[in-house]
Amino acid sequence: MAKTPKLRRGFRFQWEPAQESYVLLYPEGMVKLNGSAGAILKEVDGERNVDSIVASLEQQFPDAGPLGKDVEEFLQDAEKQHWIELV
Amino acid sequence: MNAPGKQPDNVSVGPPLWLLAELTYRCPLQCPYCSNPLDFAQTERELTTEQWVSVLRQGRAMGAAQLGFSGGEPLVRQDLPELIAEARDLGYYTNLITSGLGLNSAKVDAFAEAGLDHIQVSFQASDPELNNAVAGSRKAFDQKLAMARAVKEAGYPMVLNFVIHRHNIHQMNDIIELCDRLGADYVELATCQYYGWAFKNREGLMPSRGQLEKAEAEVNAYRARLQDAGSAMKLIFVTPDYYEERPKACMNGWGSLFLTVAPDGTALPCHSARILPIDFPNVTEMELRDVWYNSPGFNHYRGDSWMPEPCRSCDEKAKDFGGCRCQAYMLTGNADNADPVCGKSPHHDRILAARRAADHATAGIEELTFRNADNSRLFYRG
Ligand code: SF4
Ligand code: SF4
């Protein structure tokens, strides 16, 4: 996918030591992210497109096999939840 | 029974992920549903800037990630920009909850620069007349509109909040339309919860079931239209628990996620808990970590060994924790009791009586008790 994911306005992604996980913060709300969601959103910088994010993740997790499908599904879901935009 | 003040043995207490800093009880508006305590005027003392900074640092070190600045009207604190900057440095997601009065475009921009993440502007109605009557202020509405626009322009996510009651519940469509026009990202349509001044004014505020059902249907229909149009505006309709048969899981459990610090430094498990006959610690006298993990006030209703029947033997107690302690206290005189919203509560008739009263209420807005210092003094000088 050549689209580029970008966090929506008002959303912030950060590591929370007390929860030992990445979280997504937004107006009066917070989602605690599981390991793979955190790993994917960590790559979302508003610059790189989905293909290059997939490539980067496959390099970081060589034992996980091809990741394209999972990553795309997750990002589409995140778009539906209005966490990110895909442009 | 556990020794008082100790953490119940079978409960593991996590960090307070949400910190609510009620910076002041001062406010230029007089909303008759304000959740501040009736006797707020008695509390004139406010924490200093240094004391607030210390609370923010301690809270963040314990794991708090969401921070709300509220009040009263937080904008009356001159040190707000400083507190926002500190909060941002610490890594909080910082929410400013404001009436919009006292705000101007320069401040909106300055706060953004300091790192404020979000401003929530509250409205009283969709038209100036009703808005200003409820707010007890003649120029509130225009100011709010201007500030909503400034918030949008500065690039914040826009959250508009409307407290819904019997005098504005017929305006759902107009309210949502107004929000759509302003370009809101989130719209909170929060039906009144009966605490503080709202409890005092309950008869004059509570909608009838008929009103409520109509409003809910309107919101649902509007939501469907927005979805069809591909709009990202989110409508959040908070239903009043007085029309439920099971209570809300209040604050997600006592002392489980939320930590409120009142203007004078009193630490509370929720913004209403001050009314309970419980000693709550003050952050000027105790480290926040001790307040949260070890103070008798915060441990009072942790776990479930404090529960009397019907909650004690109820198989739903892990779901709702017996409901709201403040509501139990206000409606039954004993905060240990099941929240009377629950159909299993022996006091549920008080909720039924309130519903019946709502079907026949006739009081106009001018008959409500407005939240201001003069009225507040009536509640502690007698
Ligand atoms: S609810 Fe109204 S009166 Fe109460 S603090 Fe908020 S703006 Fe002020
Ligand atoms: S009896 Fe108590 S625990 Fe059971 S549903 Fe009612 S309030 Fe909740």
Side-chain angles (χ1 to χ4, degrees):
Chain A
M1 210 200 273
K3 285 190 172 176
T4 301
K6 184 176 149 230
L7 281 184
R8 263 172 64 98
R9 185 175 63 180
F11 281 75
R12 205 157 90 208
F13 170 84
Q14 69 188 28
W15 174 256
E16 283 298 307
Q19 301 176 64
E20 292 178 358
S21 68
Y22 284 104
V23 300
L24 202 53
L25 294 154
Y26 53 94
E28 288 168 69
M30 167 162 53
V31 211
K32 183 171 169 170
L33 300 163
N34 66 23
S36 45
I40 298 170
L41 283 180
K42 189 163 179 245
E43 301 289 317
V44 170
D45 56 7
E47 306 275 317
R48 287 173 305 141
N49 66 18
V50 177
D51 290 338
S52 104
I53 287 174
V54 170
S56 155
L57 286 167
E58 284 174 347
Q59 205 172 22
Q60 289 172 55
F61 306 99
D63 299 337
L67 292 172
K69 193 166 156 281
D70 288 350
V71 172
E72 279 185 29
E73 265 173 28
F74 171 80
L75 289 174
Q76 270 156 7
D77 198 50
E79 188 193 27
K80 247 191 238 135
Q81 309 237 31
H82 295 301
W83 295 353
I84 62 164
E85 289 161 326
L86 281 167
V87 282
Chain B
M1 210 40 216
N2 301 290
K6 289 274 167 51
Q7 265 178 37
D9 301 332
N10 54 347
V11 189
S12 83
V13 180
L17 299 180
W18 292 63
L19 178 61
L20 182 67
E22 292 185 328
L23 297 180
T24 179
Y25 284 138
R26 288 174 288 158
C27 183
L29 295 190
Q30 317 182 36
C31 310
Y33 49 71
C34 183
S35 61
N36 287 161
L38 289 168
D39 62 356
F40 74 86
Q42 197 166 207
T43 309
E44 283 180 350
R45 195 169 80 99
E46 289 180 8
L47 295 186
T48 63
T49 309
E50 293 67 43
Q51 285 169 326
W52 276 120
V53 166
S54 161
V55 167
L56 299 183
R57 288 188 183 153
Q58 295 179 66
R60 186 70 187 128
M62 291 165 68
Q66 280 283 353
L67 171 67
F69 286 124
S70 77
E73 173 50 68
L75 289 170
V76 307
R77 287 281 302 213
Q78 296 307 309
D79 54 0
L80 188 55
E82 208 177 323
L83 295 176
I84 289 170
E86 177 72 29
R88 184 64 189 88
D89 279 353
L90 290 167
Y92 281 107
Y93 191 93
T94 310
N95 308 272
L96 174 64
I97 297 151
T98 175
S99 69
L101 268 81
L103 202 56
N104 56 43
S105 306
K107 277 192 201 170
V108 169
D109 293 341
F111 293 162
E113 206 147 294
L116 183 63
D117 292 287
H118 151 230
I119 302 183
Q120 178 198 291
V121 182
S122 66
F123 279 74
Q124 279 72 17
S126 62
D127 68 275
E129 215 169 307
L130 182 56
N131 185 90
N132 296 351
V134 176
S137 156
R138 251 175 290 139
K139 45 184 192 350
F141 190 72
D142 289 343
Q143 166 70 9
K144 284 165 185 285
L145 278 187
M147 286 311 105
R149 293 199 181 100
V151 163
K152 179 91 189 173
E153 239 157 67
Y156 293 98
M158 190 203 267
V159 182
L160 301 181
N161 171 281
F162 289 76
V163 174
I164 304 299
H165 44 77
R166 60 184 299 120
H167 303 288
N168 65 3
I169 195 163
H170 61 283
Q171 293 193 324
M172 285 302 167
N173 281 319
D174 295 341
I175 288 175
I176 302 170
E177 227 169 81
L178 172 69
C179 296
D180 203 12
R181 243 184 298 134
L182 289 168
D185 297 289
Y186 304 82
V187 181
E188 290 177 8
L189 304 161
T191 51
C192 210
Q193 308 273 338
Y194 302 103
Y195 300 97
W197 294 76
F199 186 67
K200 168 93 189 90
N201 286 312
R202 191 184 66 198
E203 276 210 27
L205 291 171
M206 188 166 152
S208 68
R209 190 187 286 278
Q211 284 184 305
L212 184 69
E213 282 171 358
K214 183 160 173 282
E216 205 165 5
E218 282 170 3
V219 173
N220 287 338
Y222 213 119
R223 187 181 288 123
R225 285 210 294 282
L226 287 170
Q227 215 153 29
D228 289 344
S231 162
M233 183 165 91
K234 257 200 171 139
L235 300 182
I236 302 148
F237 186 68
V238 186
T239 53
D241 57 357
Y242 270 58
Y243 285 101
E244 305 282 347
E245 295 304 314
R246 286 290 178 272
K248 55 185 180 290
C250 200
M251 307 316 281
N252 209 45
W254 178 276
S256 102
L257 288 177
F258 293 88
L259 171 57
T260 295
V261 179
D264 63 347
T266 305
L268 301 164
C270 88
H271 61 277
S272 165
R274 196 170 196 138
I275 62 164
L276 300 175
I278 292 176
D279 260 335
F280 289 108
N282 192 293
V283 298
T284 58
E285 287 154 11
M286 202 187 270
E287 305 239 324
L288 207 57
R289 192 168 285 280
D290 268 338
V291 162
W292 181 256
Y293 291 103
N294 301 321
S295 73
F298 274 79
N299 283 323
H300 202 101
Y301 288 120
R302 281 189 173 130
D304 56 17
S305 61
W306 52 270
M307 284 182 181
E309 293 297 344
C311 299
R312 174 175 288 274
S313 55
C314 178
D315 58 4
E316 294 175 65
K317 64 183 172 187
K319 211 161 74 190
D320 63 32
F321 320 106
C324 171
R325 294 307 91 225
C326 298
Q327 203 143 271
Y329 180 67
M330 287 186 290
L331 293 171
T332 77
N334 182 349
D336 295 0
N337 283 333
D339 185 333
V341 161
C342 182
K344 298 184 190 179
S345 154
H347 301 100
H348 189 57
D349 58 315
R350 318 234 153 133
I351 297 289
L352 300 179
R355 289 184 201 164
R356 278 195 302 275
D359 279 335
H360 304 290
T362 53
I365 294 172
E366 63 295 341
E367 287 166 68
L368 299 171
T369 305
F370 282 78
R371 177 246 195 240
N372 56 46
D374 283 346
N375 281 339
S376 174
R377 279 183 208 107
L378 301 176
F379 294 107
Y380 60 89
R381 275 186 205 141

